[in-house]
Amino acid sequence: SSPANPQKRFLLAGLDLASLSLLAGRPPKVQGSLSGTLDLTKTTDGQHVDYALAIALRDQPLLITAKGGTEATSATAHAEVRRKGDRSLLAAIDAVLPLDKQGFQPRGAWRIKATVANRQLSEIAALLPEHLRAKIPAGDVAIRADLAGSPVHPTGTIDVTAHAAALKEVPGAQ
């Protein structure tokens, strides 16, 4: 970093998600840890942040990673959800989100592309609370989303391809 563009790096190692929730005044919803880096750079026209984060969930066999950065008018992100055991990619998202001086700008242009790889519903059911698992039928699902426009006026497509037996324990399901 140069004197004209000072940079600070913050290393995050094993921060407890439940404790972070409590610090934010919210009840914890998940158990696990947050690790990664935040690089903050002050420039003549504002600030820039680059981040690389990993979330390990204690109760789920998942690893969530996110990389990206922020400028004065936008934030970019690439996030992945992988199974811990075989590191299989379950879902990915790429996003460009609009910002302004107050933060998130819902009238600004955005771009979001998300993919949930074709997966057996039993794999997804294994990630749900135990009382919901028995209600998930046999089958598979894949999801692709490509959104543009703005958060208040989105455009784009969301495609869901699913093959499944009848839902279990749902009134009126066939």
Side-chain angles (χ1 to χ4, degrees), residues 54-153:
I55 298 171
L57 298 175
R58 191 170 303 135
D59 299 337
Q60 298 295 334
L62 300 175
L63 179 62
I64 302 163
T65 58
K67 294 179 181 179
T70 65
E71 299 286 344
T73 60
S74 68
T76 61
H78 174 77
E80 295 181 347
V81 179
R82 293 184 177 273
R83 206 172 25 226
K84 279 184 187 174
D86 62 5
R87 310 275 297 164
S88 178
L89 181 64
L90 302 177
I93 186 169
D94 287 290
V96 177
L97 303 173
L99 301 177
D100 65 13
K101 289 181 182 182
Q102 285 74 43
F104 181 67
Q105 174 44 263
R107 298 194 184 288
W110 74 347
R111 184 68 184 219
I112 299 175
K113 291 186 177 197
T115 302
V116 176
N118 189 47
R119 292 284 165 210
Q120 293 296 313
L121 291 174
S122 60
E123 289 181 69
I124 295 168
L127 303 174
L128 296 174
E130 193 166 333
H131 70 278
L132 295 176
R133 291 179 193 164
K135 296 180 181 185
I136 304 300
D140 60 75
V141 65
I143 302 170
R144 293 196 190 287
D146 189 354
L147 303 176
S150 70
V152 294
H153 296 293

Side-chain angles (χ1 to χ4, degrees), residues 22-57:
L22 293 172
L23 282 173
R26 298 176 184 218
K29 294 185 179 180
V30 295
Q31 301 293 317
S33 62
L34 171 69
S35 298
T37 60
L38 296 172
D39 292 318
L40 284 71
T41 305
K42 184 151 182 111
T43 63
T44 55
D45 59 344
Q47 298 180 84
H48 177 82
V49 178
D50 287 314
Y51 62 89
L53 303 172
I55 298 171
L57 298 175

